[in-house]
Amino acid sequence: MEELKVSEASLIVYIHPSKSNQVSKDVPRELSSLLFTYSDIFDGVVLAYDINSLYKCAKILPGVCPYFGVNLKVNMLLFSPKPNMLLEGKVEKITHDSIHVVVLGFSAAIIAEKDIRAEFVMKHDKGVYASKSHKRHVIKKETMIRFMVKSFDEETLQVYGSLIPDNTRSIHFVG
């Protein structure tokens, strides 16, 4: 799954002085604020982290309220879809002009009608996209599909996809 990657990072987490006796509890709390948000620094959505090492010494930052910085090494699991990458997801909804998919249980993906190859036709009465060349190849709600990434909106964590390439389809269909 090339859309998932692990990145090792050396970070400094800034802790309020009132938490100085709870550093081991406050560092994970601060790191948790990164979860399920897009980070330009890591070029992906932070899905999980694992603290490898927490250094014993910290640097006090002067100011009105002097925070202190704690150095640590962290492995981060990142979701980083790129254009032309293949993703898999579960179809949640089919409308007359789009297919709505959930990727990895949290990211929404939309495949617009113009991005669905002509082989698939919408069967309005059944709410499915059916292949004209393979009668058993249908895309309906709950189907797992493989699609190509056109773009990724970092702000909303939404993927825009395409079913035009020949290697995109229902993953249960082998044709």
Side-chain angles (χ1 to χ4, degrees):
M1 297 177 76
E2 62 183 303
E3 72 274 8
L4 294 176
K5 64 182 179 181
V6 175
S7 178
E8 187 175 324
S10 296
L11 301 176
I12 299 175
V13 175
Y14 297 102
I15 307 294
H16 191 273
S18 67
K19 306 289 186 184
S20 63
N21 62 347
Q22 302 172 4
V23 171
S24 61
K25 289 182 182 177
D26 212 48
V27 166
R29 186 177 302 127
E30 291 297 319
L31 289 175
S32 292
S33 68
L34 297 173
L35 294 175
F36 296 101
T37 57
Y38 183 84
S39 171
D40 287 327
I41 296 167
F42 301 116
D43 189 29
V45 178
V46 180
L47 299 180
Y49 63 86
D50 181 32
I51 300 172
N52 290 337
S53 59
L54 182 68
Y55 297 103
K56 300 282 185 208
C57 57
K59 183 177 180 181
I60 296 175
L61 302 174
V64 177
C65 186
Y67 280 71
F68 62 95
V70 178
N71 293 311
L72 49 119
K73 288 204 179 288
V74 180
N75 283 338
M76 296 195 169
L77 177 64
L78 303 169
F79 174 62
S80 186
K82 303 287 183 230
N84 300 320
M85 181 182 286
L86 292 177
L87 289 181
E88 293 180 359
K90 184 178 183 180
V91 175
E92 290 296 317
K93 182 179 175 182
I94 294 182
T95 67
H96 68 283
D97 59 353
S98 62
I99 298 174
H100 298 258
V101 181
V102 173
V103 178
L104 295 175
F106 79 93
S107 184
I110 295 177
I111 302 167
E113 184 179 39
K114 67 181 172 74
D115 295 317
I116 300 171
R117 67 179 170 270
E119 171 190 343
F120 292 104
V121 292
M122 176 65 165
K123 303 271 184 169
H124 293 285
D125 57 331
K126 296 181 182 174
V128 302
Y129 276 93
S131 171
K132 291 189 265 185
S133 56
H134 303 282
K135 68 178 182 176
R136 291 187 6 228
H137 189 187
V138 296
I139 296 174
K140 59 184 179 180
K141 186 175 178 179
E142 305 290 317
T143 301
M144 291 295 292
I145 63 170
R146 181 175 298 127
F147 63 95
M148 187 186 74
V149 176
K150 286 182 65 181
S151 64
F152 179 62
D153 184 337
E154 292 97 0
E155 190 173 308
T156 61
L157 306 183
Q158 186 163 302
V159 177
Y160 296 94
S162 171
L163 282 172
I164 291 180
D166 287 336
N167 60 348
T168 60
R169 63 176 51 91
S170 166
I171 62 171
H172 300 294
F173 179 78
V174 180

